[in-house]
Amino acid sequence: MTSAASRDTAADPIDELIIDVFNRACPSRQAMETVADKWGTLALVALTEGAYRFNALRRRVDGVSEKMLARTLQALERDGLVTRDVQATIPPRVEYTLTAPGTRIAAALRALLDALEAEIPAIMTAREDYDQRH
Amino acid sequence: MTSAASRDTAADPIDELIIDVFNRACPSRQAMETVADKWGTLALVALTEGAYRFNALRRRVDGVSEKMLARTLQALERDGLVTRDVQATIPPRVEYTLTAPGTRIAAALRALLDALEAEIPAIMTAREDYDQRH
DNA sequence: CCGTATCCTTAACGATACTG
DNA sequence: CAGTATCGTTAAGGATACGG
């Protein structure tokens, strides 16, 4: 956005205010809040593979508790990223599916994950190096 | 990976075990742990704009406390995503820069953020709709 | 200026039990 | 099957003060 290298002595209160307002209003920031969530991202990525029912998804996203999965899916449904289809059978079936926006976001997420996976070997050795020096 | 639609009655203990092992070993999962972090992602994205010194970055990533920024930068340095350049001047200067892996990951992150920002209007209206029905 | 150390408060989370 | 409700624990995170 603006050059960072020049920011040096500063601490000008007006600068502070501008940066403050900018950050809070910044869409990146709001976007981050939505995506910086472990279970939410894992659920979105899992749903890339197709529709899932609650307990199937729970098994697929290993380690998630009933409570957290329910809460996560509600949040995703609220944001219009997944749809919740209830079939009034006995026992009840509830299927979760990605919406169009959800699909687009999940695709970007998967791209990020691919990028991350590509760096995992490098990250691992970096960690070992770092840990040995400390 | 495998078809999800067929997963239905299940709860087969062997299935469970396979899924369990798969999930824990899955690189996506490890990758997620690294990226599902609010401050880490914000710092990476900020460093896309160029090198930052500690307090400049602290102002740029609004709302982060000294403690969290320090902890975050240490984690990123440990993973080899940022480098920490200390200049032994008075007062000391410490500059943080993205490494090559860090740059690649930050790029993917930014792509995700762009995708998310594109959906923000849709998400907002979806939320209003949802909130009105509840 | 660049952090570390400490205390403290909140809420995230898991485990368990229960309902339609 | 698909959740909700409650409780207890733990860890994340902010505020503050101090050190190199």
Side-chain angles (χ1 to χ4, degrees):
Chain A
M1 196 132 285
T2 58
S3 101
S6 65
R7 183 164 294 288
D8 206 342
T9 49
D12 176 2
I14 297 187
D15 267 20
E16 301 272 5
L17 183 62
I18 291 172
I19 293 172
D20 200 74
V21 170
F22 168 74
N23 273 297
R24 293 192 199 289
C26 179
S28 294
R29 189 58 169 276
Q30 292 190 37
M32 209 63 261
E33 314 276 320
T34 308
V35 84
D37 176 66
K38 186 184 172 187
W39 300 131
T41 53
L42 287 173
L44 279 176
V45 168
L47 287 171
T48 290
E49 302 163 5
Y52 268 93
R53 293 172 55 193
F54 187 85
N55 281 312
L57 190 56
R58 183 155 142 62
R59 283 188 295 272
R60 174 65 183 78
V61 181
D62 177 62
V64 69
S65 64
E66 278 183 292
K67 194 177 74 174
M68 290 316 295
L69 183 57
R71 183 183 300 184
T72 297
L73 288 172
Q74 281 164 10
L76 292 176
E77 190 198 358
R78 184 170 107 100
D79 284 356
L81 303 185
V82 307
T83 53
R84 181 172 176 275
D85 284 358
V86 186
Q87 295 161 36
T89 59
I90 294 184
R93 296 175 73 96
V94 181
E95 285 217 335
Y96 291 91
T97 321
L98 289 181
T99 62
T103 304
R104 288 190 288 270
I105 289 175
L109 245 168
R110 207 173 249 291
L112 170 61
L113 257 50
D114 289 346
L116 270 163
E117 286 183 27
E119 307 296 346
I120 282 186
I123 291 176
M124 290 313 205
T125 63
R127 277 190 194 173
E128 286 178 20
D129 288 5
Y130 183 95
D131 290 345
Q132 235 161 7
R133 286 193 307 273
H134 292 77
Chain B
M1 196 134 284
T2 59
S3 99
S6 65
R7 182 163 296 287
D8 206 341
T9 49
D12 176 2
I14 297 188
D15 267 21
E16 301 271 6
L17 183 62
I18 291 172
I19 292 171
D20 200 74
V21 170
F22 167 74
N23 272 296
R24 294 193 199 287
C26 179
S28 295
R29 188 57 169 276
Q30 291 189 39
M32 208 64 261
E33 313 278 320
T34 309
V35 85
D37 175 65
K38 185 183 171 188
W39 300 129
T41 54
L42 287 173
L44 280 176
V45 169
L47 286 171
T48 291
E49 301 164 5
Y52 268 93
R53 294 172 54 193
F54 187 85
N55 282 312
L57 190 56
R58 183 155 141 63
R59 284 188 295 272
R60 175 65 184 76
V61 181
D62 177 62
V64 69
S65 64
E66 278 183 293
K67 193 177 74 174
M68 290 317 295
L69 183 57
R71 182 183 298 183
T72 297
L73 288 172
Q74 280 164 11
L76 292 176
E77 190 199 357
R78 184 169 108 100
D79 285 357
L81 303 185
V82 307
T83 53
R84 181 171 177 274
D85 284 358
V86 186
Q87 294 161 36
T89 59
I90 294 186
R93 296 175 73 96
V94 181
E95 285 217 337
Y96 292 92
T97 320
L98 290 181
T99 63
T103 304
R104 288 190 288 270
I105 289 175
L109 243 168
R110 205 172 250 291
L112 170 61
L113 257 51
D114 289 346
L116 269 162
E117 286 184 26
E119 306 296 346
I120 283 187
I123 290 175
M124 289 314 206
T125 63
R127 278 190 192 172
E128 286 178 20
D129 288 6
Y130 183 95
D131 290 345
Q132 234 160 9
R133 286 193 307 272
H134 293 77

